[in-house]
């Protein structure tokens, strides 16, 4: 269930309590706000995820090589790299960073 706190009146957490499944949820503002760019929102709406798939990989592309190749991307965390035959599945921490990683990897091909 997705909703905005402003629509539901949870802007002032001290005055309004949020309870989900009979559990009180603490509400606080983030120290850093992130504004989702329009093009990322559009990509998400047409199916973009935080996962990357490389089909028909070169055998020289090991997990260490892939992690090293993506290391330079700021705030990108490679969570897991799995191999399925000749395909590689790369799980990252965000859609926004996965889109950038995809572009970067395609430029190196």
């Amino acid at each position: 269930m997705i909703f905005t706190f402003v629509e539901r009146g949870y802007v002032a957490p001290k005055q309004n309590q949020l309870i989900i499944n009979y559990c009180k949820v603490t509400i606080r503002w983030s120290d850093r706000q992130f504004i989702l760019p329009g093009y990322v929102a559009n990509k998400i709406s047409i199916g973009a995820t935080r996962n990357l798939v490389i089909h028909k990989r070169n055998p020289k592309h090991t997990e260490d090589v892939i992690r090293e190749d993506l290391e330079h991307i700021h705030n990108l965390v490679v969570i897991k790299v799995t191999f399925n035959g000749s395909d590689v599945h790369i799980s990252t921490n965000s859609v926004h960073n996965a889109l950038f990683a995809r572009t970067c990897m395609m430029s190196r091909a």
Side-chain angles (χ1 to χ4, degrees), residues 5-102:
F5 291 113
V6 175
E7 290 173 355
R8 301 287 182 158
Y10 296 118
V11 177
K14 299 288 184 194
Q15 298 169 355
N16 299 315
Q17 294 180 355
L18 176 62
I19 299 175
I20 299 175
N21 291 336
Y22 305 105
C23 295
K24 185 177 175 182
V25 178
T26 303
I27 301 172
R28 65 181 178 86
W29 290 102
S30 176
D31 294 336
R32 297 176 299 167
Q33 294 184 9
F34 178 76
I35 297 173
L36 185 68
Y39 75 93
V40 176
N42 182 47
K43 293 289 187 184
I44 292 170
S45 72
I46 59 175
T49 66
R50 60 189 182 96
N51 302 313
L52 300 168
V53 179
I54 301 173
H55 296 286
K56 299 179 184 174
R57 72 173 174 97
N58 188 325
K60 70 178 184 179
H61 291 134
T62 63
E63 181 175 351
D64 292 335
V65 170
I66 292 169
R67 286 182 181 274
E68 185 179 320
D69 212 22
L70 297 174
E71 186 178 313
H72 73 280
I73 300 174
H74 182 67
N75 287 336
L76 176 70
V77 178
V78 176
I79 298 169
K80 183 169 64 169
V81 178
T82 56
F83 297 91
N84 186 8
S86 64
D87 297 341
V88 180
H89 298 266
I90 305 167
S91 299
T92 66
N93 62 327
S94 74
V95 176
H96 188 258
N97 291 333
L99 290 171
F100 186 75
R102 177 182 178 269

